Amino acid sequence: MEHADLLPLFPLQTVLFPGALLPLHVFEARYMDLATRCLKEGTVFGVNLIAEGHEVGAPARPYEVGVSARIVEWDVARPGTLDIVTRGERRYRVLRSEHGANGLLFGEVEWLAEAPHRAIPDNCQPLVELLRAIVDDAGRARLPEPHDFGDAGWVGLRFAEVLPIPAQAKQALLELDEPLDRLEIIRQFLDQRGLLGERMAKSGKRG
């Protein structure tokens, strides 16, 4: 882990994963100021799932583990609003938080270690084929490059991103430090629902 930094936070009812795209429609003054400053200075802000509270109004209490977000696209849809697309970068843990004068939440964060590269275990190979099909169906705009189908961390994060599961379950997957643990949980989840067996059967028919 690295030294603590003070990071502006954007609590949301969604989980951002490293490498994932997250579009946001910004209209509250505190977040307009945040986005404008990040664009001007080339800096990032933090996205945390809300544990208690709401996205609009009084500051919400977020989960401790979040992901830094960098703005990669922006557009002024109409005066007083800003449409941005962010991309998740690094995980961090909030050590303590404080509120700025305009209600913006700041967190003193420690950056969590980058996940090591892990090869895909043999029993998880069907996940790779399924994810390739998902990427083809969703398009590169939804799941952009770089792709790394040989890395358990990247494959697991992409499944955690696209699976239709509750936000709290996504948060639990985000908080896992070991990529193989995340991938195994996802494999069991899909296997229990017959999705991997179905995929393997279709693959066998094509062969």
Side-chain angles (χ1 to χ4, degrees), residues 95-136:
L95 303 176
R96 67 175 186 85
S97 59
E98 60 187 45
H99 296 102
N102 61 353
L104 185 65
L105 186 64
F106 289 86
E108 182 181 346
V109 306
E110 61 178 3
W111 298 98
L112 301 181
E114 298 274 12
H117 185 282
R118 302 287 195 212
I120 306 292
D122 290 343
N123 69 333
C124 291
Q125 287 298 330
L127 289 171
V128 176
E129 183 183 351
L130 179 57
L131 183 58
R132 286 186 183 276
I134 291 172
V135 170
D136 289 341

Side-chain angles (χ1 to χ4, degrees), residues 11 16 36 185:
L16 176 63
T36 300
I185 290 171

Side-chain angles (χ1 to χ4, degrees), residues 137-184:
D137 291 341
R140 265 52 178 181
R142 174 68 178 82
L143 293 166
E145 296 181 350
H147 298 155
D148 192 351
F149 291 100
D151 178 36
W154 186 85
V155 171
L157 288 173
R158 299 291 70 80
F159 271 108
E161 174 188 351
V162 302
L163 282 176
I165 56 178
Q168 290 77 9
K170 289 178 179 283
Q171 178 68 25
L173 290 173
L174 173 68
E175 293 182 5
L176 291 174
D177 294 325
E178 174 51 61
L180 292 178
D181 291 343
R182 183 185 299 114
L183 198 64
E184 177 59 20

Side-chain angles (χ1 to χ4, degrees), residues 21-67:
L21 295 180
L22 177 64
L24 294 170
H25 178 66
V26 183
F27 56 91
E28 283 194 88
R30 54 183 168 176
Y31 296 127
M32 288 287 289
D33 291 344
L34 168 62
T36 300
R37 184 166 65 250
C38 287
L39 283 169
K40 181 179 179 180
E41 300 175 357
T43 53
V44 298
F45 59 90
V47 171
N48 291 67
L49 177 66
I50 292 174
E52 293 180 4
H54 306 279
E55 292 182 353
V56 179
R61 182 178 71 82
Y63 283 87
E64 290 182 353
V65 175
V67 170

